[in-house]
Amino acid sequence: MLNTTQLECFLAVANHLNFSRAAQELHITQPAVSHQINTLEAELEVKLFHRTSKNVRLTQAGHQFGQYAREILKLTGISRARMRQWREELPQRMGLGCRNFLVLRALQKPMAQLRREIPGLLPVLRQVPSASLDNLLEEDDVQAIFTMQTEAGPKTARRHLADCAVACVCAPDHPLAEHEHLSLGQLNRLGGRVASCPPPLYSPPFSAALTHVLAGRGPDRMLFCDSLEIACTLVESGFAFTLLPDLPGCRLPGLRYIALPQLKPLSFGALYRTDSLTPALRRLFALLEEELAAPAQ
């Protein structure tokens, strides 16, 4: 297939009628120019130049092809300029992923500030279970995921954003609501039913914390939910309590958050592709760190 290098070489030789001067103009070697002309003639199956040891001149086919070559290069230049303009006018996309809606709540204020600082930014948010989220990051569908997962893959790195306590969450009229902090023993004796979701909806470290609460409970004391939204609705209705990460900006209004000192705080952070750490993403991390440094309300 024809390429722009062949056409540029052809037009340079046609202009100078000299291979050496054409090579100087194009800043390549004379043999390279000769090779491009030979391959072009082979593809077109015509001779474009009469060449002797003393001079070079265009054939009739060469004169005719010159018109086409100029038009092709002109259209190529226009196409490149239009595509460059199109890329520059496209909004800057930033793919972000998380496992549940609570992280989206923490992102609201930092993203609002980022919108004011970078008006052309277009966030693309994905909320999917654990395995799918890791695949999205690996395939570059998202550039960062927010998680308590600590292991980074071969093309990813992790940035710690905040220490996150695990809290018992219940309605204000729930039997547990009068406590400021609870032991796991008290939680099992006094808590009643607990609302829980499938493990993929939690980060692995959080699932491990939840296992301590679920261990030894009979099916009559557990409510298994398809989503965290359903679990939180049951908690708000007073049917159960649950465990949630206690991050600033993530607390659900109207509910009681009770400390569980026996459970160590977990590391909340972002896994990101090392080749996608843009200034916008770096700035989002900094804003989110500031937001999460505030005390939980």
Side-chain angles (χ1 to χ4, degrees):
M1 295 179 64
L2 301 183
N3 61 64
T4 55
T5 301
Q6 291 173 324
L7 300 180
E8 289 167 352
C9 287
F10 167 78
L11 291 175
V13 174
N15 181 46
H16 294 286
L17 294 179
N18 185 289
F19 279 71
S20 296
R21 291 177 186 172
Q24 291 173 2
E25 176 186 321
L26 298 172
H27 305 290
I28 58 178
T29 65
Q30 181 178 331
V33 173
S34 297
H35 173 73
Q36 294 296 330
I37 297 300
N38 289 337
T39 57
L40 179 60
E41 289 178 330
E43 290 176 15
L44 296 175
E45 298 182 349
V46 295
K47 278 289 184 184
L48 299 173
F49 296 99
H50 290 299
R51 284 167 273 188
T52 68
S53 57
K54 295 183 179 181
N55 59 52
V56 176
R57 58 189 177 88
L58 284 164
T59 64
Q60 287 297 315
H63 281 290
Q64 184 70 27
F65 182 72
Q67 302 176 29
Y68 303 139
R70 292 182 184 90
E71 288 298 319
I72 293 171
L73 284 179
K74 180 180 178 181
L75 288 173
T76 301
I78 293 172
S79 299
R80 286 175 176 168
R82 295 279 172 82
M83 289 296 99
R84 184 164 52 249
Q85 180 183 6
W86 177 75
R87 288 196 305 271
E88 291 172 353
E89 292 175 353
L90 276 177
Q92 181 183 349
R93 294 179 180 271
M94 181 171 62
L96 306 173
C98 62
R99 289 180 172 84
N100 58 64
F101 77 102
L102 293 176
V103 175
L104 299 178
R105 293 173 62 89
L107 287 173
Q108 286 177 353
K109 289 183 180 179
M111 287 180 59
Q113 178 61 30
L114 199 63
R115 174 181 57 82
R116 291 188 285 270
E117 296 180 11
I118 311 176
L121 185 67
L122 181 60
V124 180
L125 304 180
R126 306 291 298 275
Q127 180 186 322
V128 294
S130 177
S132 300
L133 195 59
D134 293 339
N135 292 338
L136 291 180
L137 184 63
E138 183 179 338
E139 296 167 4
D140 203 22
D141 284 346
V142 298
Q143 286 71 60
I145 59 176
F146 297 97
T147 178
M148 293 172 189
Q149 178 180 330
T150 56
E151 299 82 11
K155 296 182 180 180
T156 61
R158 188 179 193 273
R159 176 160 171 168
H160 171 78
L161 297 173
D163 290 325
C164 176
V166 179
C168 167
V169 181
C170 63
D173 58 351
H174 191 277
L176 296 175
E178 62 186 34
H179 297 271
E180 292 299 321
H181 53 79
L182 289 164
S183 68
L184 296 183
Q186 288 175 307
L187 204 60
N188 285 326
R189 288 196 312 272
L190 307 174
R193 295 185 179 90
V194 57
S196 174
C197 299
L201 296 182
Y202 301 110
S203 298
F206 193 88
S207 293
L210 188 59
T211 299
H212 287 289
V213 177
L214 297 179
R217 284 179 168 267
D220 60 320
R221 301 181 66 202
M222 292 187 286
L223 293 174
F224 293 105
C225 308
D226 292 332
S227 71
L228 197 58
E229 289 88 343
I230 294 175
C232 290
T233 298
L234 292 172
V235 170
E236 290 168 330
S237 304
F239 282 94
F241 74 91
T242 193
L243 299 191
L244 292 178
D246 194 10
L247 282 171
C250 289
R251 281 192 172 185
L252 297 171
L255 295 180
R256 284 276 290 126
Y257 280 69
I258 305 166
L260 301 172
Q262 284 179 263
L263 297 181
K264 294 181 179 179
L266 303 175
S267 173
F268 177 76
L271 292 175
Y272 62 91
R273 290 182 60 93
T274 52
D275 57 359
S276 300
L277 187 57
T278 62
L281 187 57
R282 196 188 304 270
R283 179 58 177 152
L284 178 62
F285 290 162
L287 290 169
L288 190 54
E289 276 184 331
E290 294 174 11
E291 177 69 17
L292 296 178
Q297 300 295 320

